[in-house]
Amino acid sequence: GYARYLKESVEHRVRKVDVTGSLLFTVAVGAIMFALGDAGIAHGIERLVAPILFVGAGALFLAHERRTPDPIVSLELWARRPILTANGVVLLASIALMGLTTFLPMYVQVVLGRSPVVAGMALTMTLLGWPIGATIAPRLFTRFGIRTVLIVGSLFLPAGATFFVMLGDASGVLQAGIGSVVMGFGMGVANTCAIILIQDVVERSQRGSVTASNLFARHLGSTLGATLFGAVVNLGLARSPAAGVGYAD
């Protein structure tokens, strides 16, 4: 019934692909990934090359995006407080989720001594909490407001991470599973609220761009999360007593 009365005027425009911005952004992200990946491993001048390249490419990227008419990252949209906050929440949540999906199965197998099936089940609990949160969140918008739901839902992420902080050699898989459910629930609420919030604060013509900015923040968080937590592991291994023991020993 609604489709019969829905009338939208779509304005078609020819837009140019921001090739220069894409290349600069690729260099900047690649440099920061190398810098984080080599943390605790690289020595001397090698440690400075990637950070310097990141700063240089990042500065050129921001300067270029301000001038180009069709940027891949609209700084004007990101400067708006609701969009910056919502995308920031999604970015940080994606970083946390990537750490969970990357290292929880290894922890359950190596430290807790469980089978790969059990490790997979502990991680799969995230997929149980996520759709529950995504389903419940829209029902709470009209009662509590979307911003309140976003803030409260985001608190489930550090709450779930607390279960992993308390993991030890004698911990059970149930504790890891509960943490996965809680973090998955927070991800479902946060992502749903964020995407609806940013679409609601812009004009109809900007909804595509602002939705793309949210997806961009999510994928960027996943990329940085994998690199960041990998750097933490590398740094820990480099500082461990067994780091100097070679295979020949």
Side-chain angles (χ1 to χ4, degrees), residues 72-202:
I72 61 171
V73 176
S74 177
L75 301 181
E76 180 182 356
L77 287 179
W78 279 81
R80 301 180 64 172
R81 188 173 180 179
I83 297 174
L84 179 62
T85 303
N87 288 344
V89 169
V90 171
L91 186 143
L92 294 176
S94 298
I95 291 176
L97 182 66
M98 184 55 61
L100 172 65
T101 56
T102 303
F103 296 105
L104 178 61
M106 290 190 293
Y107 188 91
V108 173
Q109 293 181 68
V110 177
V111 179
L112 301 184
R114 299 304 182 93
S115 66
V117 175
V118 175
M121 289 297 295
L123 181 61
T124 304
M125 298 302 291
T126 306
L127 302 180
L128 177 63
W130 192 314
I132 294 177
T135 303
I136 293 177
R139 301 177 182 273
L140 303 177
F141 291 166
T142 56
R143 184 172 181 180
F144 300 103
I146 188 171
R147 287 175 173 82
T148 302
V149 177
L150 174 60
I151 294 173
V152 175
S154 300
L155 295 178
F156 281 90
L157 292 167
T162 304
F163 287 91
F164 300 113
V165 173
M166 297 187 297
L167 280 174
D169 297 346
S171 301
V173 181
L174 179 61
Q175 181 177 336
I178 294 175
S180 296
V181 171
V182 175
M183 287 194 69
F185 181 84
M187 285 292 298
V189 174
N191 278 280
T192 303
C193 292
I195 194 68
I196 296 178
L197 174 64
I198 62 177
Q199 289 179 346
D200 186 57
V201 298
V202 298

